[in-house]
Coordinates of all heavy atoms in Angstrom, one line a residue:
Q1383 N 152.9 226.1 67.4 CA 153.9 225.4 68.1 C 154.5 224.4 67.1 O 153.8 223.7 66.4 CB 153.4 224.7 69.3 CG 152.8 225.6 70.4 CD 152.4 224.8 71.6 OE1 153.1 224.3 72.3 NE2 151.0 224.8 71.7
P1384 N 155.8 224.2 67.1 CA 156.5 223.2 66.2 C 156.3 221.8 66.8 O 157.2 221.2 67.4 CB 157.9 223.6 66.2 CG 158.1 224.2 67.6 CD 156.8 224.9 67.9
L1385 N 155.1 221.2 66.7 CA 154.8 219.9 67.3 C 154.7 218.8 66.3 O 154.0 217.8 66.5 CB 153.5 220.0 68.1 CG 153.5 220.9 69.3 CD1 152.2 221.0 70.0 CD2 154.5 220.4 70.3
G1386 N 155.4 218.9 65.1 CA 155.5 217.8 64.2 C 154.6 217.8 63.0 O 153.7 218.7 62.9
T1387 N 154.8 216.9 62.1 CA 154.1 216.8 60.8 C 152.6 216.5 61.0 O 151.8 217.2 60.3 CB 154.7 215.7 59.9 OG1 154.7 214.5 60.6 CG2 156.2 216.0 59.6
G1388 N 152.3 215.6 61.9 CA 150.9 215.3 62.1 C 150.1 216.5 62.7 O 149.0 216.8 62.2
H1389 N 150.8 217.2 63.6 CA 150.1 218.4 64.2 C 150.0 219.5 63.1 O 148.9 220.2 63.1 CB 151.0 218.9 65.3 CG 150.5 220.1 66.0 ND1 150.9 221.4 65.7 CD2 149.6 220.3 67.0 CE1 150.3 222.3 66.4 NE2 149.5 221.6 67.3
A1390 N 151.0 219.7 62.3 CA 150.9 220.7 61.3 C 149.7 220.4 60.3 O 149.0 221.3 60.0 CB 152.2 220.8 60.5
I1391 N 149.6 219.2 59.9 CA 148.4 218.8 59.0 C 147.1 219.1 59.7 O 146.2 219.7 59.1 CB 148.5 217.3 58.6 CG1 149.8 217.1 57.7 CG2 147.3 216.9 57.9 CD1 150.2 215.7 57.6
M1392 N 147.0 218.8 61.0 CA 145.7 219.0 61.7 C 145.4 220.5 61.9 O 144.3 220.8 62.2 CB 145.8 218.2 63.0 CG 145.7 216.7 62.8 SD 144.2 216.2 62.0 CE 143.0 216.4 63.3
C1393 N 146.4 221.3 61.8 CA 146.1 222.8 61.8 C 145.3 223.2 60.6 O 144.6 224.3 60.7 CB 147.4 223.6 61.9 SG 148.4 223.4 63.4
A1394 N 145.3 222.4 59.6 CA 144.4 222.7 58.4 C 143.2 221.9 58.4 O 142.6 221.5 57.3 CB 145.2 222.4 57.1
K1395 N 142.7 221.5 59.6 CA 141.6 220.6 59.7 C 140.3 220.9 58.9 O 139.7 220.0 58.2 CB 141.1 220.5 61.2 CG 140.1 219.4 61.5 CD 139.7 219.4 63.0 CE 140.8 219.1 63.9 NZ 140.3 219.0 65.3
P1396 N 139.9 222.2 58.8 CA 138.7 222.5 57.9 C 138.9 222.1 56.5 O 137.9 222.0 55.8 CB 138.6 224.0 58.1 CG 139.2 224.3 59.4 CD 140.4 223.4 59.5
S1397 N 140.2 222.0 56.0 CA 140.4 221.7 54.6 C 140.6 220.2 54.4 O 140.8 219.8 53.2 CB 141.6 222.5 54.1 OG 141.4 223.9 54.1
L1398 N 140.6 219.4 55.4 CA 140.9 218.0 55.3 C 139.7 217.1 55.0 O 139.2 216.4 55.8 CB 141.6 217.5 56.6 CG 142.9 218.2 57.0 CD1 143.5 217.6 58.2 CD2 143.9 218.1 55.8
S1399 N 139.3 217.2 53.7 CA 138.2 216.4 53.2 C 138.4 216.2 51.7 O 139.0 217.0 51.0 CB 136.9 217.0 53.5 OG 136.8 218.3 52.8
G1400 N 137.9 215.0 51.2 CA 138.0 214.7 49.8 C 139.5 214.4 49.4 O 140.4 214.2 50.2
P1401 N 139.7 214.2 48.1 CA 141.0 213.9 47.6 C 142.0 215.0 47.8 O 141.7 216.2 47.6 CB 140.8 213.6 46.1 CG 139.5 214.3 45.8 CD 138.7 214.3 47.0
A1402 N 143.2 214.7 48.3 CA 144.2 215.7 48.6 C 145.6 215.1 48.5 O 145.8 214.0 48.7 CB 143.9 216.3 50.0
V1403 N 146.5 216.0 48.1 CA 148.0 215.8 48.2 C 148.5 216.6 49.4 O 148.2 217.8 49.5 CB 148.7 216.1 46.9 CG1 150.2 216.1 47.1 CG2 148.3 215.1 45.8
I1404 N 149.3 215.9 50.2 CA 150.0 216.6 51.3 C 151.5 216.6 50.9 O 152.1 215.6 50.6 CB 149.9 215.9 52.6 CG1 148.4 216.0 53.1 CG2 150.7 216.5 53.7 CD1 148.1 215.2 54.3
A1405 N 152.1 217.8 50.9 CA 153.5 218.0 50.5 C 154.3 218.9 51.4 O 153.8 220.0 51.7 CB 153.6 218.5 49.0
Y1406 N 155.4 218.5 51.8 CA 156.3 219.3 52.7 C 157.2 220.2 51.8 O 157.8 219.7 50.8 CB 157.1 218.5 53.6 CG 156.2 217.8 54.6 CD1 155.9 216.4 54.4 CD2 155.5 218.4 55.6 CE1 155.1 215.7 55.3 CE2 154.6 217.8 56.4 CZ 154.4 216.4 56.3 OH 153.5 215.8 57.1
A1407 N 157.3 221.5 52.1 CA 157.8 222.5 51.2 C 159.3 222.7 51.3 O 159.7 223.8 51.1 CB 157.0 223.8 51.4
D1408 N 160.1 221.7 51.4 CA 161.5 221.8 51.4 C 162.2 220.9 50.4 O 163.3 220.6 50.5 CB 162.1 221.6 52.8 CG 161.9 220.2 53.3 OD1 161.1 219.5 52.7 OD2 162.4 219.9 54.4
T1409 N 161.4 220.5 49.4 CA 161.9 219.6 48.4 C 161.4 219.9 47.0 O 160.3 220.6 46.9 CB 161.5 218.1 48.8 OG1 162.2 217.2 48.0 CG2 160.0 217.9 48.6
L1410 N 162.0 219.5 46.0 CA 161.6 219.7 44.6 C 161.6 218.4 43.9 O 162.4 217.5 44.2 CB 162.4 220.8 43.9 CG 162.4 222.2 44.4 CD1 163.4 223.1 43.7 CD2 161.0 222.8 44.2
I1411 N 160.7 218.3 42.9 CA 160.6 217.0 42.2 C 160.5 217.2 40.7 O 160.2 218.3 40.2 CB 159.3 216.2 42.6 CG1 158.1 217.1 42.3 CG2 159.4 215.9 44.1 CD1 156.8 216.3 42.3
R1412 N 160.8 216.1 40.0 CA 160.4 216.0 38.6 C 159.8 214.6 38.5 O 160.4 213.6 38.9 CB 161.6 216.1 37.7 CG 162.4 217.4 37.8 CD 161.8 218.6 37.2 NE 161.9 218.6 35.8 CZ 161.5 219.6 35.0 NH1 160.9 220.6 35.5 NH2 161.7 219.5 33.7
A1413 N 158.6 214.6 38.0 CA 157.8 213.3 37.9 C 156.8 213.3 36.8 O 156.4 214.3 36.3 CB 157.1 213.1 39.3
E1414 N 156.5 212.0 36.4 CA 155.5 211.8 35.4 C 154.9 210.4 35.6 O 155.5 209.4 35.2 CB 156.1 211.9 34.0 CG 155.1 211.8 32.8 CD 154.3 213.0 32.7 OE1 154.8 214.1 33.0 OE2 153.1 212.9 32.3
F1415 N 153.8 210.4 36.3 CA 153.1 209.2 36.6 C 151.6 209.4 36.8 O 151.2 210.6 37.1 CB 153.7 208.4 37.7 CG 153.7 209.1 39.1 CD1 152.5 209.1 39.8 CD2 154.8 209.7 39.6 CE1 152.4 209.7 41.1 CE2 154.7 210.4 40.8 CZ 153.6 210.4 41.5

C-alpha cells in the first residue's frame, strides 16, 4: 500500500540493522565527501 516513506522503509524491517544509507530512487547526485 502507498502509505508513505516511513512505511516503505519499515517494509524492509529485517534489513534495518547496522550502518545504512536510505535513498529514494527518483534523484541522481554527484558528490565527494
